[in-house]
Amino acid sequence: MSFAKGHRAGYLLVQRPDIVVATYDRSEFAIENRGLLDELRRALPFIEPASYRGLSRAPVDAEQLTSLRTACNGAAPEGEIGDDDVIETLELASFLRGLMPYPDTLEVIYVESGEVTTTHETLGYDVGYWTGDHFSLIADVAVTPLWHPPSPDAFADVAEHLLALNEQVLFPDYAEASRYRSFYRAQDWAETEFDEDQFRIVRVALPA
């Protein structure tokens, strides 16, 4: 699913942000770390976690998407489903959403990485993994911290670098996202890239 060298684009089927945050707040990790989590959120009063519209919202994985389409016996719209969980067409993404047990808990977003185009209305820019669990450097730091949350002594620096986030809890442009990626890479508490450019800047947009 590539329009040009280094360019990746398509649609993800993800949970609504309010459901993601409500599920996280009920998790064992959040309950056990409630004090630190509350302290972090006090340090980031400009962020409303349930407004996050980025990648890290439990995307439906390729195996489940493929199973749903196979069960339709050829009735599904045309389009590829990538190993990265990205669906080629909006028609197929919307169709598969309708087959899910609770479609109203899900939404379709358009995502692209590499060469930035002007298609679709931009919500903002996330930073993270294009594949795998679509780990986000924004979400894991400030929305649903789990794997590599910032240390308390870094809360003030984190706040300074996240001030640029928009109402969708995403960066307003590529440059701001790039600055944050550079900051994150320098932190000793952060996730480490296993491959060069594993932390990709991803434009997130409305599906149509």
Side-chain angles (χ1 to χ4, degrees):
M1 219 168 296
S2 176
F3 301 114
K5 185 177 180 181
H7 184 264
R8 303 178 184 181
Y11 301 87
L12 282 178
L13 189 54
V14 296
Q15 287 190 344
R16 288 191 346 234
D18 58 314
I19 293 175
V20 169
V21 173
T23 301
Y24 171 79
D25 284 342
R26 294 193 300 268
S27 70
E28 182 178 350
F29 180 87
I31 292 170
E32 289 181 351
N33 294 278
R34 182 62 60 193
L36 278 175
L37 181 59
D38 288 346
E39 183 181 345
L40 173 63
R41 288 181 173 169
R42 285 194 296 271
L44 305 170
F46 51 89
I47 291 178
E48 172 48 62
S51 295
Y52 169 71
R53 299 290 296 279
L55 301 170
S56 189
R57 290 189 280 145
V60 182
D61 64 60
E63 182 177 355
Q64 185 174 5
L65 293 169
T66 301
S67 295
L68 286 171
R69 183 172 63 177
T70 300
C72 291
N73 296 315
E78 293 294 325
E80 295 181 12
I81 298 172
D83 293 339
D84 51 10
D85 312 323
V86 176
I87 306 164
E88 184 177 16
T89 67
L90 176 57
E91 291 75 17
L92 179 57
S94 299
F95 179 83
L96 293 172
R97 174 180 177 271
L99 298 179
M100 294 293 291
Y102 303 100
D104 289 344
T105 68
L106 302 168
E107 67 178 22
V108 179
I109 55 173
Y110 177 79
V111 292
E112 71 172 350
S113 179
E115 178 187 349
V116 176
T117 70
T118 57
T119 62
H120 306 77
E121 180 181 345
T122 300
L123 292 170
Y125 292 78
D126 207 340
V127 187
Y129 297 163
W130 180 263
T131 59
D133 60 359
H134 302 274
F135 174 85
S136 162
L137 278 57
I138 296 174
D140 197 53
V141 168
V143 178
T144 51
L146 178 62
W147 302 109
H148 298 275
S151 57
D153 60 0
F155 286 177
D157 284 343
V158 167
E160 180 181 349
H161 284 84
L162 293 180
L163 274 173
L165 293 174
N166 63 20
E167 292 182 357
Q168 316 298 333
V169 196
L170 298 168
F171 288 103
D173 54 46
Y174 190 98
E176 291 286 0
S178 181
R179 279 191 282 272
Y180 175 68
R181 180 174 60 179
S182 296
F183 161 75
Y184 184 91
R185 283 171 165 165
Q187 306 310 303
D188 57 10
W189 45 263
E191 168 71 303
T192 301
E193 289 176 292
F194 295 103
D195 300 309
E196 185 178 357
D197 202 32
Q198 187 174 15
F199 296 151
R200 298 180 70 94
I201 296 174
V202 180
R203 185 171 77 97
V204 182
L206 295 175

